[in-house]
Amino acid sequence: MKFSEKWLREWVNPAIDTQALSEQLSMAGLEVDGVEPAAAEFSGVVVGEVVECGQHPDADKLRVTKVNVGGDELLDIVCGAPNCRQGIKVAVATVGAVLPGDFKIKKAKLRGQPSHGMLCAFVELGISEEGDGIMELPSDAPIGTDLREYLSLDDNIIDVDLTPNRGDCLGIKGLAREVGVLNSVDVNTLEIAPVAATIDDKVSIELVNDEACPRYLGRVIKGINLDAETPLWMVEKLRRSGIRSIDPVVDVTNYVLLELGHPMHAFDLNAIEGGIKVRSANAGEELVLLDGNTAKLNESTLVIADHNKALAIAGIFGGEKSGVTEATSDILLESAFFNPVAIAGQARSYGLHTDASHRYERGVDFALQKDAMERATALLLEIVGGEAGPVVEAVATDKLPKVTEVRLRRERLDRVIGHHIDDAKVTDILTRLGLDVKIVDGVWSADVPSYRFDIRIEEDLIEEVARVYGYNSIPNVSPTAKLKMTNHDESHVAVTKFRNTLVTRGYQEAITYSFVDPKAQAILHPQSDALVLPHPISVEMSAMRVSLMPGLLASLVYNQNRQQPRVRLFEHGLKFLRDENAENGVNQVAVIGGVISGLAHGEHWVQEKRSVDFYDLKGDVEALLAISNDSSRFEIKAEQSDGLHPGQSAVIYVDGKKVGFFGAVHPQVQKSLDINNTAFVFEIEMSALEKRKLPEAVAVSKFPSNRRDIAILVEDHVKSGDILNVIEKVGGNQLVDLNLFDVYKGKGIEPNYKSLAIALTLQAVDRTLEEKDINQVVDNVVAALAEQFNASLRD
């Protein structure tokens, strides 16, 4: 909203300059977007009167004038404006005047005629961007007066950007009230006296939709003269507020809108058939608007209508057929309160945004309609004449907003602001804001005025007090922070650790939906009893996932379809399993899973190009298990899982409980899901990984270690992991390292047997092991393996 600073200072005049006023408004929440002068810089321009005006002897479009500017002699000035004529008051740039753009006026001759000055237009003085002809000043303008002084052009136009909750400041009255509060200065009141009716003419008013319009005032004014001109002072105030003068009736309604913040409208009385009905639009109803466009009205739109047709969109835009024209002599003046809910969004639905809708959407003072009507009536009678009838009011009192009482507690105010403001200051702030305040036992009870729609709860009052008191006046107090050691379980491993481990191994994290395609999930987990959503986003997202595999494999296919030769994805999330014993019948299990496919490494001349295999994935899984510092706790068994290849899959157990799986996706599953290359997946429950074994410090042996290699023959079905577990138990404390470094089948080995080469590293912490000690350990190991696995040493 733009407004004239001088107009504001007519209402309230604090002892601060323009810059300080702008900063003050911005800090109070009424952000100032810009400040610009009301007119460009110029000097030497005075009020003059055209005493003589004749045709230039040598130019058809020029006139030779004699102008009185209050001196001893008349000035000879040549002018080309079509509206130049004898008797009018004009703006005269005398010789030596400097106009905008540093244009200096000098004596000159135009087509042989002397010209000692210039008759100025609005555009030439930087007052307006458009204009037709020279300025015509009122007939009572004092000759010889400096034009800047006469028009009060040493003024600033301030543009404020108001938040939607501050509709009360969309008028000079509201802004003045705000400035008065901020500076503790009294605001000049505008005395609005009732205009007595001189005729009995009136129009009936019916509130058909009183929810949307609980109050409507109408007044007939007859015999107006639209040939009258809007006073220059009003035109200037409108101009500095960004509104162009149109005709006296429209100018008055716009002036009241800017002054009081209340929109008004005038209808041509002769276009109204019967009385006024405030109703919702009928189905299929149309209205030709003032701009000539035809609006197809929605049934939710509130309209002002007569007994036969719609006249205007209520609170938004008038109709063409009921608008005031040059031929209008009788009008109906409207002043109404429309419920903001009824107006909100309606203007946008028709591609409109008007000054009226801007205010009604935010809320207009529901007690201001009478004052706005009387103010507009007085101005109209003064400018265009005529006779006014009585004010007709239709009101649904029970539908009007109610006066709200809001309580503010002293302790709450201090706690939220963090600063103590004296009771007297708080009371003064609330009173100047227009609230009816009472204070009892440290609690303020405030009746909210009708123009403040945004004050409803205690926090609103706290905001008002802090805003008016000044945020800069509240001292900066650094918060006091007390250090307190938190209880931290060192054995707990954060999820970030697992993420980082996989990222360092070339994985990228994926985030997939918890809702999956039930068909794809059934292919992977045919025995699963998945939860089905009653109202899914789509059929393809109607089942809750029972593992991360559906989402990860879908992401794999997406990447393969975009020519990605190497895909390594992981995800941390929840899977959802039916469990009658769990809350809501759903057990949400946190898991981490991944998928790899394509090349084992990026293409490089040093490395051999190959595809990923089972053991690539097994290495990644073992890297996750190793984070627990207790890999022996996990048992990996060759065992088939849903959707995996029977010969390339394994299951992870902890204390006999299945906690995860990994392996190659079954070929039939790959074909069903359109997976191009062999894919390998894993999934592990986080509960099995999140606890780690804390390391214990032990002395480092200063004695030498000894390595002994053994090669044993066992049947093919014997698992190497079981053999290593037995060796660890038999080896005791002296066995410090164990490594299976070769597996051989072939020449020299009987069918269905395999040779395992195992390295044992022995070391004691208190002495050097002798040969007999070493042999004793090795013999015990061989004996144990022979007993449990029928193993024998290879020749």
Side-chain angles (χ1 to χ4, degrees):
M1 172 186 168
K2 292 183 177 180
F3 64 91
S4 161
E5 182 183 352
K6 283 200 171 183
W7 191 6
L8 176 67
R9 290 186 183 272
E10 291 175 11
W11 286 73
V12 59
N13 191 13
I16 56 177
D17 60 15
T18 304
Q19 182 178 354
L21 176 64
S22 299
E23 292 177 355
Q24 189 179 71
L25 289 173
S26 293
M27 288 302 298
L30 312 180
E31 183 179 0
V32 174
D33 275 351
V35 178
E36 59 185 31
E41 189 63 34
F42 63 85
S43 62
V45 182
V46 298
V47 177
E49 181 181 10
V50 178
V51 178
E52 296 180 12
C53 181
Q55 185 66 43
H56 192 292
D58 298 323
D60 294 338
K61 295 184 179 181
L62 296 180
R63 290 174 175 80
V64 179
T65 67
K66 288 187 179 294
V67 181
N68 179 15
V69 294
D72 295 334
E73 298 181 357
L74 300 179
L75 299 180
D76 292 321
I77 298 177
V78 177
C79 177
N83 63 326
C84 181
R85 61 191 183 276
Q86 183 181 348
I88 64 171
K89 296 287 182 69
V90 292
V92 183
T94 58
V95 173
V98 181
L99 301 187
D102 198 26
F103 179 70
K104 297 179 180 179
I105 302 299
K106 302 176 182 178
K107 290 183 179 180
K109 281 190 176 184
L110 296 177
R111 294 290 185 93
Q113 296 295 320
S115 184
H116 300 162
M118 176 180 173
L119 305 187
C120 301
F122 283 101
V123 176
E124 293 164 335
L125 297 179
I127 297 176
S128 174
E129 294 182 359
E130 57 183 25
D132 186 15
I134 58 176
M135 293 174 61
E136 295 188 36
L137 301 176
S139 58
D140 60 353
I143 296 173
T145 304
D146 186 280
L147 187 70
R148 297 193 72 91
E149 178 184 343
Y150 176 66
L151 294 181
S152 298
L153 294 178
D154 293 325
D155 188 13
N156 292 301
I157 299 173
I158 301 176
D159 187 4
V160 294
D161 184 13
L162 300 174
T163 52
N165 65 311
R166 294 311 307 270
D168 61 298
C169 289
L170 286 169
I172 293 294
K173 181 179 180 180
L175 286 169
R177 182 169 51 231
E178 193 75 9
V179 173
V181 173
L182 296 174
N183 294 277
S184 298
V185 177
D186 292 336
V187 180
N188 298 326
T189 57
L190 177 65
E191 298 295 336
I192 301 177
V195 177
T198 55
I199 57 175
D200 294 330
D201 296 67
K202 57 185 179 181
V203 172
S204 63
I205 300 171
E206 180 184 357
L207 301 180
V208 179
N209 187 347
D210 55 4
E211 289 279 356
C213 177
R215 174 175 281 154
Y216 190 98
L217 277 66
R219 184 175 219 167
V220 172
I221 302 178
K222 305 189 75 173
I224 65 172
N225 176 22
L226 278 180
D227 291 331
E229 292 186 359
T230 304
L232 186 59
W233 62 267
M234 182 179 289
V235 172
E236 271 296 291
K237 286 182 176 179
L238 292 175
R239 179 187 72 82
R240 297 176 198 184
S241 300
I243 297 179
R244 180 173 57 89
S245 174
I246 298 175
D247 63 56
V249 174
V250 175
D251 291 348
V252 166
T253 57
N254 284 335
Y255 181 82
V256 172
L257 174 139
L258 293 171
E259 184 180 57
L260 302 180
H262 193 290
M264 300 191 69
H265 188 67
F267 298 98
D268 187 332
L269 184 63
N270 295 325
I272 299 175
E273 302 176 69
I276 291 293
K277 286 187 175 184
V278 185
R279 59 172 173 80
S280 298
N282 298 322
E285 192 169 13
E286 295 184 352
L287 175 65
V288 180
L289 304 176
L290 285 170
D291 60 3
N293 293 321
T294 300
K296 295 182 179 180
L297 303 177
N298 305 318
E299 294 184 51
S300 61
T301 300
L302 187 70
V303 296
I304 309 301
D306 59 19
H307 289 181
N308 294 324
K309 61 185 179 300
L311 302 173
I313 302 178
I316 298 175
F317 214 37
E320 184 179 61
K321 293 183 180 179
S322 62
V324 176
T325 66
E326 295 178 355
T328 300
S329 60
D330 306 327
I331 62 172
L332 174 68
L333 200 59
E334 167 196 280
S335 179
F337 171 74
F338 300 114
N339 192 321
V341 176
I343 306 299
Q346 291 294 330
R348 286 187 294 278
S349 69
Y350 297 106
L352 300 171
H353 181 80
T354 63
D355 289 329
S357 68
H358 188 76
R359 286 160 174 80
Y360 277 125
E361 287 174 345
R362 286 154 175 76
V364 170
D365 184 356
F366 62 85
L368 191 59
Q369 288 72 48
K370 182 74 172 177
D371 284 347
M373 177 65 78
E374 298 293 356
R375 177 63 168 160
T377 302
L379 290 171
L380 283 171
L381 295 181
E382 178 184 341
I383 298 171
V384 298
E387 296 181 291
V391 176
V392 179
E393 179 180 16
V395 59
T397 307
D398 59 320
K399 303 298 173 58
L400 287 170
K402 302 297 186 290
V403 175
T404 306
E405 181 185 79
V406 182
R407 292 161 56 88
L408 173 60
R409 296 164 292 168
R410 170 87 261 177
E411 64 274 12
R412 177 65 175 166
L413 175 65
D414 291 349
R415 184 167 67 251
V416 174
I417 294 181
H419 177 65
H420 182 85
I421 303 175
D422 292 339
D423 288 1
K425 182 65 176 177
V426 175
T427 303
D428 180 64
I429 290 173
L430 296 177
T431 302
R432 287 184 178 275
L433 284 169
L435 284 77
D436 185 7
V437 183
K438 300 174 186 177
I439 179 171
V440 178
D441 297 331
V443 178
W444 287 271
S445 298
D447 290 338
V448 181
S450 55
Y451 51 81
R452 289 304 297 269
F453 282 78
D454 58 321
I455 299 178
R456 288 292 177 266
I457 59 176
E458 186 175 30
E459 282 67 21
D460 294 332
L461 290 180
I462 295 173
E463 179 187 1
E464 292 298 299
V465 171
R467 185 176 62 82
V468 175
Y469 182 74
Y471 297 120
N472 290 335
S473 300
I474 299 174
N476 294 326
V477 179
S478 300
T480 302
K482 296 182 179 179
L483 296 177
K484 182 180 179 181
M485 295 297 292
T486 58
N487 294 325
H488 177 64
D489 184 2
E490 287 186 277
S491 64
H492 178 77
V493 183
V495 176
T496 307
K497 179 69 174 176
F498 300 102
R499 286 193 173 110
N500 291 340
T501 299
L502 290 173
V503 169
T504 57
R505 300 181 73 87
Y507 283 77
Q508 290 181 310
E509 184 170 10
I511 299 176
T512 65
Y513 286 105
S514 298
F515 319 127
V516 297
D517 186 345
K519 294 181 180 178
Q521 183 156 269
I523 294 172
L524 288 164
H525 304 283
Q527 305 301 322
S528 66
D529 185 13
L531 297 163
V532 179
L533 300 176
H535 305 290
I537 299 174
S538 66
V539 177
E540 290 75 17
M541 301 177 69
S542 59
M544 300 297 290
R545 66 187 181 193
V546 296
S547 80
L548 300 180
M549 286 174 61
L552 286 172
L553 291 177
S555 298
L556 170 65
V557 172
Y558 183 90
N559 281 274
Q560 287 181 341
N561 290 342
R562 283 153 183 81
Q563 292 79 46
Q564 296 300 310
R566 182 173 183 263
V567 180
R568 300 173 74 87
L569 300 173
F570 80 92
E571 181 176 9
H572 171 265
L574 299 174
K575 63 180 182 180
F576 305 86
L577 307 175
R578 287 188 185 274
D579 187 347
E580 300 299 332
N581 298 321
E583 185 178 358
N584 299 323
V586 182
N587 184 17
Q588 302 183 46
V589 182
V591 293
I592 188 168
V595 59
I596 63 175
S597 182
L599 299 177
H601 307 284
E603 290 189 63
H604 195 273
W605 60 273
V606 171
Q607 293 176 316
E608 180 184 353
K609 185 177 179 180
R610 68 174 182 85
S611 298
V612 293
D613 58 26
F614 176 84
Y615 294 100
D616 289 317
L617 182 72
K618 184 172 182 288
D620 296 334
V621 171
E622 288 177 339
L624 294 177
L625 302 182
I627 296 175
S628 68
N629 290 335
D630 191 11
S631 298
S632 61
R633 186 165 59 96
F634 298 95
E635 184 180 4
I636 299 177
K637 295 182 178 181
E639 186 176 312
Q640 185 180 3
S641 297
D642 287 346
L644 298 188
H645 193 293
Q648 297 186 55
S649 60
V651 174
I652 305 170
Y653 288 91
V654 172
D655 299 329
K657 178 187 175 184
K658 179 180 177 180
V659 296
F661 60 84
F662 62 93
V665 177
H666 198 286
Q668 292 182 349
V669 173
Q670 289 190 179
K671 184 177 180 180
S672 300
L673 299 180
D674 296 326
I675 300 174
N676 295 332
N677 302 319
T678 303
F680 298 87
V681 296
F682 74 87
E683 183 177 289
I684 309 172
E685 294 182 9
M686 291 302 299
S687 59
L689 297 173
E690 290 175 333
K691 288 291 183 179
R692 65 180 171 186
K693 180 181 180 181
L694 295 178
E696 296 181 3
V698 295
V700 178
S701 176
K702 59 183 179 180
F703 300 99
S705 60
N706 296 271
R707 171 171 169 164
R708 292 291 186 271
D709 294 346
I710 61 174
I712 60 173
L713 293 172
V714 293
E715 296 181 46
D716 280 343
H717 66 81
V718 177
K719 298 177 181 178
S720 59
D722 294 340
I723 292 176
L724 296 179
N725 288 336
V726 170
I727 295 175
E728 284 183 354
K729 293 178 182 179
V730 175
N733 295 333
Q734 294 177 350
L735 180 64
V736 296
D737 192 21
L738 182 64
N739 182 36
L740 172 64
F741 64 88
D742 187 42
V743 178
Y744 175 72
K745 294 178 67 175
K747 185 178 179 180
I749 305 298
E750 295 183 16
N752 300 324
Y753 275 81
K754 58 186 174 182
S755 171
L756 304 179
I758 304 171
L760 290 72
T761 303
L762 305 173
Q763 185 182 38
V765 297
D766 55 350
R767 61 190 177 88
T768 299
L769 291 177
E770 297 181 0
E771 191 66 26
K772 64 177 181 178
D773 299 323
I774 297 172
N775 292 334
Q776 181 64 47
V777 173
V778 173
D779 292 343
N780 292 340
V781 167
V782 172
L785 295 178
E787 179 181 350
Q788 296 194 31
F789 304 107
N790 195 27
S792 61
L793 288 175
R794 179 182 172 189
D795 294 336

